[in-house]
Amino acid sequence: MGELSRIGLAGLAVMGQNLALNIAEKGFPISVYNRSTEKVDETVERAKLEGNLPVKGFHNPKDFVHSIQKPRVIILLIKAGAPVDKSIETLAAHMEEGDCIVDGGNEWYENTERRQEEAKKRGLLYLGMGVSGGEDGARNGPSLMPGGSFEAYKYIEDIILKIAAQVDSGPCVTYIGKGGSGNFVKMVHNGIEYGDMQLIAEAYDVLKSVGKLTNQELQEAFSNWNKGELCSFLIEITGDIFGVKDDKGDGCLVDKVLDKTGMKGTGKWTVQQAAELSVAAPTIASSLDSRFLSGLKEERLEASKVFKNVDVGNDAEVDKHILIDDVRKALYAAKICSYAQGMNLIRAKSAEKGWDLKLGELARIWKGGCIIRAVFLDRIKKAYDRNPELASLLMDPEFAQEMIERQSAWRRVVTLAINAGISTP
């Protein structure tokens, strides 16, 4: 057997592989397991190639569990729902009292709370941990949102503090709270992300359709925005995409992408929870609606024939530079609304469940690693530091002032869009 591993990880799709390699690279020997064994061998092979990292692969669940030092900690990165229950059954059969399971998937929070109760009956500890940052984040430093047993959190604190994204205010991880709060916070993070992406798409549509900006001008606009208050991961990659040429033909890739998207559930759950808790989340809700509509490509093609002779007078001359500046201000103001709605939802749920969530701390751990990382999260954190009881972000004196300063530009953009027949829900 040799030396025991510090931790184990089961579920070796790309996220699982990358997280395992991240843990190993930070100096924690890790055992890995996957139901189909080729993924195990692939991970061990990658560990060799990426710096002889301390990764041990196992094809058998019993050997896997027994290779980990006690109290054993096993992270699961498996598709949410029934597969997680199956994996827990398989692994828990070989685990002992005091061992701990950490589910790193995008799980519905009540499933996590049910599993926490079931684990307790077996004498096991349980955490539901949101992981954001995609494949790249998992490998190089994600934002982590662990909730559940505080004792279990303490078992893995030394590891997760090291593997998380590191920003000026420390690692992008904190103990979120009891129960399924970690999963709930990750779910709302994804809802905010839906809002963010829809707003960016609308800004693009207005600049392209009304402002007639070329892809090069769009790239310049977004890259410039990324140097100011909009500086964020999503704005940065949007700027980048305008420069990508189509490798299968002429022109730019952005003009070839099908206007049709799907979703995995977290955005829908966020809107359902907002409705359950009577929290208004119109930015997040309309971004979900836009995804539903985008999926109806065939219906939209039919509708465009029926409505083809509608004249909206789209040919008004606009000053590009003024438009770009107005859209920047409108986008910023609307983004603040998306984050405010998400925070209001988290606050309402925290009150309902007695989770005592710290909103400023959530803004802090979203500053790095995750998809919605943005410079203004630092200011959101400071707003909650100034007043932890803040009724809404929009009521913070600084943000309120910014909203007031951007009001007229925001209204100009929306009016322009309506008059030009551009959808900006």
Side-chain angles (χ1 to χ4, degrees):
M1 201 86 223
E3 284 291 297
L4 293 177
S5 296
R6 168 70 178 81
I7 190 166
L9 188 146
L12 297 171
V14 183
M15 283 291 284
Q17 289 191 19
N18 282 3
L19 199 67
L21 294 169
N22 181 356
I23 291 169
E25 193 168 63
K26 299 302 181 291
F28 302 101
I30 186 168
S31 295
V32 296
Y33 168 75
N34 193 69
R35 220 176 40 166
S36 64
T37 55
E38 67 268 16
K39 293 282 186 204
V40 176
D41 302 337
E42 197 180 301
T43 309
V44 171
E45 193 50 41
R46 278 188 66 191
K48 282 202 190 78
L49 294 172
E50 293 180 30
N52 276 325
L53 304 174
V55 175
K56 278 195 253 184
F58 293 87
H59 292 180
N60 166 311
K62 183 180 176 183
D63 295 342
F64 165 64
V65 173
H66 288 162
S67 74
I68 304 161
Q69 72 182 46
K70 296 181 193 178
R72 302 185 186 96
V73 178
I74 295 176
I75 298 175
L76 303 179
L77 273 167
I78 290 163
K79 193 171 152 41
V84 176
D85 293 302
K86 282 205 184 71
S87 298
I88 292 172
E89 277 307 310
T90 304
L91 297 170
H94 309 291
M95 295 173 81
E96 296 168 66
E97 200 171 321
D99 289 353
C100 167
I101 294 171
V102 181
D103 176 15
N106 275 329
E107 189 54 271
W108 172 240
Y109 83 96
E110 288 178 319
N111 283 342
T112 293
E113 295 189 338
R114 166 177 63 78
R115 290 176 190 137
Q116 282 165 350
E117 288 310 305
E118 290 164 1
K120 205 180 266 172
K121 291 182 190 135
R122 301 179 177 218
L124 301 176
L125 305 179
Y126 197 94
L127 283 172
M129 180 168 74
V131 179
S132 177
E135 297 168 7
D136 184 60
R139 183 66 184 84
N140 300 308
S143 175
L144 299 170
M145 295 153 252
S149 156
F150 186 67
E151 192 186 341
Y153 171 77
K154 280 305 196 195
Y155 282 3
I156 59 165
E157 187 176 45
D158 60 328
I159 299 178
I160 55 183
L161 288 175
K162 281 216 170 71
I163 65 168
Q166 309 288 324
V167 293
D168 52 7
S169 53
C172 293
V173 57
T174 188
Y175 173 69
I176 302 288
K178 295 193 289 286
S181 59
N183 292 119
F184 191 89
V185 165
K186 173 60 167 49
M187 174 197 82
V188 175
H189 160 289
N190 289 16
I192 293 171
E193 181 187 321
Y194 273 42
D196 235 345
M197 289 164 67
Q198 174 63 20
L199 291 168
I200 290 171
E202 291 175 16
Y204 160 72
D205 201 2
V206 171
L207 291 176
K208 181 183 165 72
S209 305
V210 185
K212 307 282 190 272
L213 271 73
T214 64
N215 286 327
Q216 194 180 348
E217 289 171 320
L218 284 160
Q219 183 173 21
E220 272 168 38
F222 275 86
S223 303
N224 286 332
W225 289 353
N226 201 45
K227 298 185 180 104
E229 78 272 44
L230 283 170
C231 176
S232 60
F233 173 67
L234 288 172
I235 294 284
E236 179 190 337
I237 61 172
T238 305
D240 291 344
I241 194 68
F242 295 120
V244 178
K245 298 277 175 267
D246 181 3
D247 59 356
K248 294 186 169 61
D250 298 332
C252 292
L253 185 63
V254 69
D255 299 320
K256 314 282 178 74
V257 177
L258 185 66
D259 56 339
K260 182 176 179 177
T261 184
M263 65 220 77
K264 291 205 182 127
T266 42
K268 187 184 284 188
W269 293 343
T270 303
V271 174
Q272 287 170 333
Q273 280 294 297
E276 288 279 327
L277 291 159
S278 305
V279 171
T283 311
I284 299 173
S286 56
S287 69
L288 184 69
D289 288 339
S290 297
R291 288 201 183 205
F292 296 153
L293 292 168
S294 83
L296 305 175
K297 179 71 175 178
E298 293 71 29
E299 281 185 38
R300 289 189 288 111
L301 286 170
E302 285 305 307
S304 68
K305 293 173 196 164
V306 179
F307 293 103
K308 66 175 177 296
N309 293 326
V310 181
D311 180 28
V312 289
N314 198 356
D315 298 327
E317 273 301 303
V318 290
D319 180 314
K320 280 187 186 182
H321 292 289
I322 294 175
L323 180 64
I324 290 170
D325 203 49
D326 277 355
V327 172
R328 172 180 62 85
K329 290 174 180 156
L331 179 55
Y332 181 80
K335 261 170 156 323
I336 297 296
C337 291
S338 190
Y339 286 72
Q341 291 160 28
M343 288 300 194
N344 288 350
L345 177 54
I346 290 171
R347 205 190 52 196
K349 192 67 176 184
S350 177
E352 181 198 63
K353 303 286 285 185
W355 282 337
D356 192 27
L357 302 183
K358 305 278 184 280
L359 300 181
E361 195 52 7
L362 302 183
R364 184 190 72 74
I365 67 168
W366 289 343
K367 277 168 54 180
C370 75
I371 305 299
I372 62 173
R373 60 184 181 265
V375 164
F376 67 65
L377 279 160
D378 199 42
R379 309 214 351 272
I380 292 177
K381 177 192 182 301
K382 291 191 170 92
Y384 286 113
D385 288 348
R386 282 193 287 276
N387 178 10
E389 302 304 309
L390 199 57
S392 164
L393 264 183
L394 307 184
M395 300 300 287
D396 173 72
E398 264 193 36
F399 282 119
Q401 187 54 40
E402 291 192 328
M403 296 304 256
I404 291 163
E405 287 165 5
R406 287 165 177 73
Q407 278 274 319
S408 48
W410 197 2
R411 292 174 190 278
R412 279 197 299 275
V413 171
V414 172
T415 310
L416 186 69
I418 291 168
N419 286 332
I422 309 271
S423 166
T424 53

